């Protein structure tokens, strides 16, 4: 038995995933069928003292780049290793809670979970957001094909 605390989470809760990214030509040559396409990928930085705010900037940039909104997303996987980030998302952006983190994870699992959930639920658009120490964050919007 173990206890999750701020001192050692998220490493103890992280899992593993494999994501294969490539061009249509490379996929065709390898005999693979694409499952989704990337609509936007953004990285952002923010105040390193506040740390977990850059993911929001990355999310806003990805949405602006595509002309989409949170309401357009069928599913949102928002890194929840630290409770403050999903609470801030809910408080500041008010997304549909049924679409956010139905099977939360982090890292590569976040994207794999997002795509699998879109396929299972018949959704098309998905957003994944991660935050990191030192004020870095990333966001990706995918479209299931």
């Amino acid at each position: 038995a173990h206890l999750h605390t701020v001192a050692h989470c998220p490493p103890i809760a992280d899992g593993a995933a494999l994501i294969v990214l490539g061009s249509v030509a490379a996929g065709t040559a390898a005999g693979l069928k694409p499952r989704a396409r990337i609509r936007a990928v953004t990285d952002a930085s923010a105040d390193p003292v506040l740390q977990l705010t850059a993911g929001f900037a990355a999310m806003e940039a990805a949405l602006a780049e595509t002309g989409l909104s949170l309401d357009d997303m069928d599913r949102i996987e928002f890194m929840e290793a630290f409770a403050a980030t999903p609470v801030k998302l809910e408080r500041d952006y008010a997304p549909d809670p049924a679409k956010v983190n139905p099977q939360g994870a982090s890292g590569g699992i976040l994207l794999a979970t997002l795509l699998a959930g879109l396929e299972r639920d018949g959704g098309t658009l998905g957003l994944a957001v991660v935050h990191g120490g030192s004020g870095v964050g990333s966001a990706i919007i995918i479209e299931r094909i």
Side-chain angles (χ1 to χ4, degrees), residues 19-104:
I19 298 170
V20 178
L21 298 175
S23 68
V24 172
T28 300
L32 301 173
K33 180 181 175 192
R35 295 170 59 197
R37 71 182 179 112
I38 297 171
R39 295 278 301 265
V41 175
T42 57
D43 295 308
S45 61
D47 186 332
V49 175
L50 297 177
Q51 295 193 23
L52 301 176
T53 58
F56 294 99
M59 175 186 74
E60 291 171 0
L63 292 169
E65 181 179 322
T66 58
L68 297 167
S69 71
L70 287 178
D71 289 338
D72 294 318
M73 298 298 121
D74 296 307
R75 189 176 185 98
I76 300 167
E77 290 293 340
F78 197 87
M79 182 180 154
E80 57 185 353
F82 302 96
T85 55
V87 168
K88 180 173 174 51
L89 174 72
E90 182 180 326
R91 184 187 65 211
D92 294 354
Y93 297 89
D96 179 349
K99 295 180 179 181
V100 180
N101 293 346
Q103 298 166 310

Side-chain angles (χ1 to χ4, degrees), residues 119-135:
E119 290 174 335
R120 183 181 53 254
D121 299 339
T124 302
L125 293 172
L127 168 69
V129 180
V130 295
H131 310 270
S134 302

Side-chain angles (χ1 to χ4, degrees), residues 1-16 81-82 106 109:
H2 63 272
L3 176 66
H4 287 244
T5 70
V6 174
H8 66 275
C9 195
I12 197 166
D14 281 350
F82 302 96
S106 63
I109 286 182

